[in-house]
Amino acid sequence: MRLIPAVLVTWSVAFAGSLIDAAWSAALAGVMALVGTLLLVRTRRHRRAVPRARTISATLALAGVLGAAVAVSCAVTANTREGGPLAEAVAEGSGVLIEVRITGVPAEVPAPGHSGGNRWSVEAGLVEVTSKGSVTQGSADVMVVGGNGWQDVRPGQHVRTSGTLKPVREGQAQAALLAAASAPVVLTSAFDVRHSAFDLRRQFVAASGWLPPDPAGLLPGMVTGDTSALPESLKADMKTTGMTHLTAVSGANCSLVLGGFILIARCLRLTRPLAGIFAACGLLAFVVMVGPDPSVLRAAVMGTVGLAALVGGLRGRSLTFLCLATIILLLLDPSMASNVGFLLSVLATLGIILLATRIASWIPSTVPRWLAAGIAVPLSAQLLCGPVIAALQPQFTPYALVANVVAGPLVAPITIFGTFAVPLAAVLPWLAAAPVAVAGVCAGVVAGLARFFAHLPGAALPWAEGPAGVSAMVALSVVSVLVFWMMLHPTGVVHQVMMLHRAVMLTIERGARRKHGRLEACKKSSGRNHLWLLPKTPGPRASRRAPSPGAMRRRPP
């Protein structure tokens, strides 16, 4: 829990740093450093203070120091964007001749308007730029967007092209956006391990080509993150049923791969340090193969931190591992603070950590534990991710939980057999047919589930937009948890209802008694206060006159 303030401060500073310029980021870094230093000094001066007070001061001091580090990183990035070698060309918006070194993998992007042809984006690093006859050399990150020809570039290639430099959107880490007007001309090509990983993914796509269209497009996405062969109709159905996270590699795949390498290390009877190194190398190779997606990086860093803790003898600290992974990634790349995929990944993991075990414990023991976990894990992730998804896509998918629960058990065989088939597809393609067939059958079932639930009545219902929609989704999440608990605990619900009924009746009776007492008091007080208004009449003792002697003689004995 002591790392949660550090995560919140680090994330907030990283998000703010992506929206402000370098001077304000530097000022923010100074303020955070000053606050952290003062809190550290206060902690050291009060060594004999109450342990809780010292812990709070140390926690806030750590948050201040980490926030200052992130602000410094944001200031450096903003300074490169504002005064770097591309700042003048971006401000003028004129055509340039530029040489860049490809550092990323091409990804298809939608074309603007109704223009034909595919568009591709790829990350690159500046080598030199020629603008208005002047040549400028320097270091800066560039996002290149171009047409045909850019889908074939590889990491490590040194290419030349022409185009127009434009400013990037807020939150992006690159210094400029290059709208390429010509195809790339490859000057040199250096070895890059990502180039080999790209070829490996393409070979796996080719090895899966004999499958039907749906599994042939879904299997490479679930195993290597390559969604180039995924049919558009299946992509839309996966989005409708809330199964989009299954179309690409996610944290679940990293967890399965890491667990597989740990299992192999135990079978080989490796020592704990050697097993940790073996599993870490395997996970690193998997991350390089699928690419540095934010969710994959988060899962990889979290798995590495957890592996280090496991080697050191620490277990059962999932929240600590999540906080450490988030802080490390924000320190390395503050632009992730504005990445929606990274936010959803962290929220899903947080929901699983906080709620999955508790929800699974509600399910009766007669239900198999694997089925209880299969229900609790997607429900926990959906509860925390629902409000963010409602803000991005205002619609409600009532079949999302059922579809994910049914498809959940198929993720493990797809990941295991598919990952095993990737190296075989490059070395012995004919031998990879068997694991590809097993993984393809499971992927076909997942695709069939997506198409089935997507075409049911009410598969995508409209939802409110803006803060109202987010608030409604939060309320729906709370109600869903309560209804789920009530369905699994009918006896407890009856007991709670009876206790509530008893408490309400006692409250009503007390209120009635108090009201009756106040009315009686008011009547008595009003009678005493208004006696002077009534006519004076003799009392009962004064009205009794002494009888006359004659009356006394006439009274019978």
Side-chain angles (χ1 to χ4, degrees):
M1 296 295 291
R2 285 176 285 187
L3 286 176
I4 292 180
V7 173
L8 296 178
V9 171
T10 304
W11 202 312
S12 302
V13 172
F15 183 76
S18 63
L19 303 177
I20 57 180
D21 54 16
W24 284 105
S25 295
L28 181 60
V31 172
M32 298 300 297
L34 179 61
V35 172
T37 304
L38 292 177
L39 288 172
L40 284 176
V41 172
R42 182 177 182 275
T43 304
R44 294 182 63 87
R45 284 183 178 180
H46 298 79
R47 292 183 178 180
R48 298 182 180 180
V50 181
R52 181 175 297 179
R54 290 186 56 198
T55 301
I56 293 176
S57 298
T59 300
L60 297 179
L62 175 64
V65 172
L66 292 175
V70 172
V72 169
S73 178
C74 293
V76 172
T77 303
N79 184 57
T80 303
R81 184 168 55 247
E82 296 171 5
L86 299 178
E88 184 177 354
V90 171
E92 293 176 354
S94 57
V96 297
L97 181 65
I98 189 171
E99 295 181 10
V100 295
R101 182 181 63 260
I102 304 299
T103 59
V105 177
E108 190 174 0
V109 295
H114 300 281
S115 59
N118 296 329
R119 304 284 292 176
W120 302 86
S121 66
V122 62
E123 297 180 0
L126 175 67
V127 176
E128 68 175 29
V129 58
T130 304
S131 177
K132 294 184 177 181
S134 61
V135 180
T136 304
Q137 295 182 346
S139 177
D141 294 331
V142 183
M143 177 63 72
V144 183
V145 178
N148 293 330
W150 286 97
Q151 73 272 20
D152 298 325
V153 295
R154 300 290 184 272
Q157 289 181 340
H158 183 181
V159 303
R160 176 189 296 157
T161 186
S162 61
T164 304
L165 290 173
K166 300 179 181 179
V168 296
R169 294 178 297 177
E170 293 182 349
Q172 286 187 299
Q174 290 78 20
L177 173 67
L178 174 64
S182 61
V185 178
V186 180
L187 303 178
T188 60
S189 181
F191 173 77
D192 195 306
V193 68
R194 289 171 294 184
H195 187 180
S196 303
F198 184 81
D199 293 337
L200 199 62
R201 291 196 298 270
R202 287 295 178 90
Q203 291 171 352
F204 183 70
V205 172
S208 307
W210 59 273
L211 297 172
D214 283 355
L218 184 60
L219 179 59
M222 296 185 68
V223 176
T224 65
D226 190 342
T227 58
S228 58
L230 186 66
E232 291 295 331
S233 58
L234 180 58
K235 185 184 297 184
D237 291 342
M238 298 283 283
K239 184 177 181 181
T240 301
T241 54
M243 301 170 66
T244 308
H245 61 282
L246 296 179
T247 59
V249 176
S250 63
N253 303 79
C254 291
S255 302
L256 291 170
V257 170
L258 184 61
F261 279 106
I262 292 176
L263 183 61
I264 294 174
R266 292 186 63 180
C267 294
L268 296 176
R269 298 183 181 277
L270 298 178
T271 61
R272 183 178 290 181
L274 290 179
I277 295 174
F278 177 75
C281 292
L283 182 61
L284 178 62
F286 180 76
V287 172
V288 171
M289 181 186 67
V290 302
D293 190 75
S295 61
V296 176
L297 285 177
R298 192 270 314 154
V301 173
M302 182 178 175
T304 304
V305 174
L307 187 63
L310 184 64
V311 171
L314 297 177
R315 297 183 181 181
R317 295 177 177 266
S318 301
L319 184 59
T320 302
F321 301 156
L322 176 61
C323 293
L324 285 176
T326 305
I327 292 172
I328 291 172
L329 289 174
L330 290 175
L331 288 172
L332 295 176
D333 187 5
S335 63
M336 284 191 178
S338 56
N339 188 292
V340 179
F342 182 67
L343 174 61
L344 291 175
S345 176
V346 173
L347 288 177
T349 308
L350 182 62
I352 294 171
I353 291 173
L354 297 180
L355 302 176
T357 304
R358 186 178 298 273
I359 292 177
S361 65
W362 295 347
I363 301 177
S365 57
T366 55
V367 179
R369 290 297 90 188
W370 61 268
L371 181 57
I375 297 174
V377 168
L379 177 60
S380 304
Q382 183 68 26
L383 289 176
L384 266 70
C385 294
V388 179
I389 296 175
L392 299 174
Q393 183 182 355
Q395 73 175 22
F396 177 63
T397 54
Y399 308 118
L401 178 61
V402 179
N404 282 279
V405 168
V406 177
L410 300 173
V411 176
I414 292 174
T415 302
I416 295 172
F417 286 96
T419 305
F420 182 70
V422 169
L424 292 179
V427 181
L428 300 171
W430 59 271
L431 193 58
V436 166
V438 176
V441 171
C442 297
V445 175
V446 173
L449 290 173
R451 292 196 180 277
F452 172 74
F453 286 105
H455 291 84
L456 289 179
L461 302 176
W463 196 259
E465 299 181 3
V470 175
S471 303
M473 186 58 69
V474 171
L476 179 62
S477 299
V478 175
V479 172
S480 300
V481 173
L482 292 177
V483 170
F484 189 74
W485 184 87
M486 292 169 65
M487 290 173 59
L488 297 176
H489 299 82
T491 306
V493 171
V494 173
H495 178 67
Q496 295 292 335
V497 169
M498 294 303 297
M499 289 183 61
L500 179 62
H501 176 264
R502 189 179 297 111
V504 171
M505 293 302 298
L506 289 175
T507 304
I508 293 174
E509 290 179 1
R510 289 171 186 164
R513 291 174 184 174
R514 292 176 183 176
K515 184 177 180 181
H516 182 71
R518 286 195 299 268
L519 289 175
E520 292 294 332
C522 289
K523 288 180 179 180
K524 292 180 180 180
S525 61
S526 61
R528 287 193 299 266
N529 294 336
H530 296 82
L531 282 176
W532 62 276
L533 295 174
L534 299 175
K536 294 182 179 180
T537 56
R541 293 181 181 271
S543 62
R544 292 179 181 177
R545 297 179 181 178
S548 60
M552 293 180 65
R553 288 193 296 265
R554 291 192 297 267
R555 181 175 296 176

